[in-house]
Amino acid sequence: MDGTSPDDILGRVTRPSRYLGCEVNAVKKDPADVRLHMALAFPDLYDIGTSHFGMQILYHVLNREPDLYAERVFAPPDDMAGILAAENRPLFSLETRTPLSAFDIIGFSLLYELNYTNILLMLDLAGIPFYSASRDETHPLVIAGGPCTVNPEPVADFFDAMVVGDGETAILEMARAAIQWKEGGGRDRQALLKKWAGIQGVYVPSFFDVSRDEKDRQVLTPRVAGHERITRAIVGNLEAAVFPDAPVLPFGKPVHDRLRIEIARGCTRGCRFCQAGMIYRPVRERSFSRIADIAHTSLCATGYEDLSLLSLSTGDYSCLSPLMTHLMQRYAGRRIAVSIPSFRAGSISGELMEEIRKVRKTGFTIAPEAGSERLRAVINKNITEEEIIQTAVDAFGLGWNLVKLYFMIGLPTETDDDLDAIVRLVKRLKRLRPPGKGHFKINASVAAFIPKSHTPFQWAPQADLETARNRIDRLRRDLKMPGVGFKWQNPQTSRLEGLFARGDRRLASLLVAAYQRGCRFDGWSDSFQYAAWQEALDRTGLDPEKLALQTADTGAPLPWDHIDTRISRDFLLEEYERAFSGLSTPDCRNGECQDCGVCDFDAIMPRTVDGQPPVISEKTVVSCETESETEVHWMQLAFTRTGRARFLSHLEQVNVFLRAVNRAGLPVAFSSGFHPKAKITFTDALPVGVESLGETVHIAVNRPVEIDRAIDDINRELPEGLDITGGSLLARKPAPNPPESYAYRVHLENAEIDPERIRQFLSAPSLLYRYKTKKGEEKTVDIKARVLEIALPENGAVVLRLDNRPGSGIRPALVLREILGLSEAQIAGARIIKLG
């Protein structure tokens, strides 16, 4: 495959900033200077993976070691993937543009079963064989980690090794072993795999022989002594664990565009459907002071405007109320919103909710999971309807106007009465609308229950497609009313996810067959191709219903029995039986041990913090009082945009500047209202792909600043390609006064310009261009009237001067296409520079 630079591709794809690799806090090293070069591969879009906390941890853990270098790579969408395949170019890393096949190790994050075909997409684009047995010493080692590895079997044949559990320590041990092996010649892969097999949490699939019993169930026979059972790796003390306090600041609009601080890991509420609640036990909390330190350091390193406290059950954090009060008071002056991802009804006090709303009302989510208290007892979701109602009352009373509710259908023992209870609960919440309240809405989201491995419901049946559809359609019909939104997950995707969640190694061939039929990004509704999956099932002869029945016998072996998550099978079985008796199991966090098997009460045990805040370090309690905004000053800054920065959209550029100013510590002024915004405006919104030697931005500050120092401080924080060249401090914002025209110079790398086309244009009375607006209206413009100058100097560059008066603006790309006759590919490869 051709390994040339991909910059010439970026003008041909949507959102090219996904591929730049020059974000703030991205780590740059010379691969030639390190002993081990690794790629952290996320099998989904950049927008999803770049803000994933687990990937941030691994990126930080590996790159803090001087002799290791970990880069990032994400699954490319159709446009980029199509170009790479058509032009025989390899999938590349972001930081150094290294082809994926040139790394020592590729590590995939497995978070979601419907991303599995994207693993094949990324390997295929890299020219790497899918199956580990087909790879040799010329290929990278391919490993994986993440929650899906607790049942690794459907994808086990693709990987050399897989990490089960917390990866912070295991990945470093694997890297050190790989360095020794590599520097010893790196020829006998079996020797390295044996070393890896001795690391806690590491599973080597090839060290097991696969057969089938008389009932066609998978049987794994270990063939390496000491590697019969893989025990989940656990970071016993989160307080001492490393934290990625300078995460990469993504371009674009990532799904989590905020600072996320993990305040605790694990949950012992014991919801019987919840895999995360089982496989991340026990509860381990970070201390108040450690979280305060992390918040201080991370906000300084990122400039984020939003901070989210992350855990499986944030409302259960022992010191939540004083922590929230501290964070809100500490950062209120900077208008930093502090949020909690979701609320467990009954766990958030009205006082705490009052703190959250002081800066900005963030999303408010409640997950009852089931409509009736009977069914909530079955699944061990120990919240009452009154707790749900009171939580919503507090939210509405404090000004929230949108509450999101999450439910599941198809849960064990579910009846029509349970479905009716969902409708009754939503209607009751709808009646809570406060007097005089304007816009007010409840969004109910519904998905089919999916049995997962290592949970009490791993033996439970999954509703068939017809049943799931009928129940969702019934709820959609019954909840069709003003003020209530209804969303649902496609039962077909739920069925497929369930197949892989409890599948075995036979599913590897199904994945390959589905990928060969065009399946990828199966978790995205606009990409999911159920018909192609049906064809793949027919091709492989696999029967999903028969496969599901093989996990229904509580006395039979399961495909994942060799994976020890430390939860005992006896505990899971007892919980399964208690579910059908409607018996709840209390949380062991502050009560009696439920004997689940996880804790050894030495290195592994619940670790919670005292409910009272301790004295914290002085640097975190420095007041950040609200600056007076009665006197606002404006920084007028001139800047250039060159190189890779030209691929930023206007909104991305706004965010880049705003966060650079935040990191520089300048006193930004904000608008008023419920959603205060920083006062920042640009004279022109540059199109994606256009460079500029003379742009202007105005940024409001609420006290005078020394402008030269401010420019130096901001420049240190701007990414490659953006540079402030001068500025001044104004007493007031100048009135908009854009120039009447802009000049451009266009360099063409792969196109020849016919001077005759320019002469014909100059001699023609007009050049009409017809197009449709977003509203479908037909418009006609005279390009001739808007092109004030066009010339072809001797150096081969095209010089343009284009009208910029209100209603008369025109973009250079349109001129290149309509006057010079260039193709979209030729325009994408052009270097368009707006002159100062």
Side-chain angles (χ1 to χ4, degrees), residues 268-272 278 281 344 373-384 456-457 571 574-588 592 594:
T268 47
R269 287 283 185 171
C271 298
R272 292 173 177 133
M278 296 293 164
R281 292 185 176 209
R344 182 183 177 93
E373 291 193 15
R374 182 203 72 81
L375 191 52
R376 286 197 290 274
V378 169
I379 65 177
N380 209 45
K381 187 81 174 186
N382 297 318
I383 55 174
T384 66
F457 287 167
F571 172 77
E574 180 182 357
E575 283 295 291
Y576 188 52
E577 293 169 349
R578 288 174 66 85
F580 288 95
S581 300
L583 299 175
S584 63
T585 299
D587 189 346
C588 69
E592 294 183 0
Q594 301 300 323

Side-chain angles (χ1 to χ4, degrees), residues 537-579:
L537 284 165
D538 293 341
R539 172 69 178 81
T540 55
L542 295 173
D543 182 350
E545 303 303 326
K546 182 179 177 182
L547 292 174
L549 289 174
Q550 292 184 348
T551 59
D553 184 351
T554 57
L558 295 167
W560 51 87
D561 278 346
H562 57 301
I563 303 298
D564 178 13
T565 63
R566 301 177 187 259
I567 297 280
S568 74
R569 185 187 183 103
D570 289 343
F571 172 77
L572 296 177
L573 185 55
E574 180 182 357
E575 283 295 291
Y576 188 52
E577 293 169 349
R578 288 174 66 85

Side-chain angles (χ1 to χ4, degrees), residues 9-157:
I9 301 176
L10 299 187
R12 293 185 273 161
V13 297
T14 57
R15 300 183 66 173
S17 62
R18 289 168 168 159
Y19 313 101
L20 297 184
C22 57
E23 308 99 319
V24 169
N25 297 330
V27 176
K28 290 296 180 72
K29 299 181 183 181
D30 186 341
D33 294 337
V34 299
R35 301 167 71 190
L36 195 71
H37 198 193
M38 300 178 65
L40 298 178
F42 197 92
D44 208 331
L45 296 179
Y46 172 94
D47 318 60
I48 305 297
T50 193
S51 56
H52 179 251
F53 187 68
M55 192 168 187
Q56 291 175 359
I57 291 176
L58 296 179
Y59 190 77
H60 176 75
V61 165
L62 291 166
N63 283 321
R64 69 203 296 256
E65 302 293 318
D67 56 349
L68 303 179
Y69 188 21
E71 301 190 48
R72 298 162 297 142
V73 61
F74 301 91
D78 288 347
D79 55 357
M80 175 61 84
I83 292 172
L84 293 177
E87 300 182 4
N88 197 33
R89 297 191 182 199
L91 183 61
F92 53 89
S93 66
L94 296 192
E95 285 80 356
T96 64
R97 311 294 182 85
T98 299
L100 199 56
S101 58
F103 284 85
D104 297 315
I105 298 174
I106 303 170
F108 281 91
S109 294
L110 306 185
L111 275 73
Y112 183 32
E113 291 86 352
L114 295 187
N115 282 343
Y116 285 169
T117 51
N118 289 351
I119 299 169
L120 305 185
L121 169 67
M122 297 173 77
L123 292 175
D124 194 13
L125 291 173
I128 299 172
F130 296 154
Y131 290 94
S132 61
S134 302
R135 299 193 288 265
D136 57 30
E137 65 277 0
T138 66
H139 299 111
L141 290 148
V142 183
I143 64 176
C148 288
T149 61
V150 295
N151 178 23
E153 293 310 291
V155 291
D157 285 341

Side-chain angles (χ1 to χ4, degrees), residues 155 198 336 382 385 620:
V155 291
I336 293 174
N382 297 318
E385 183 161 317
T620 67

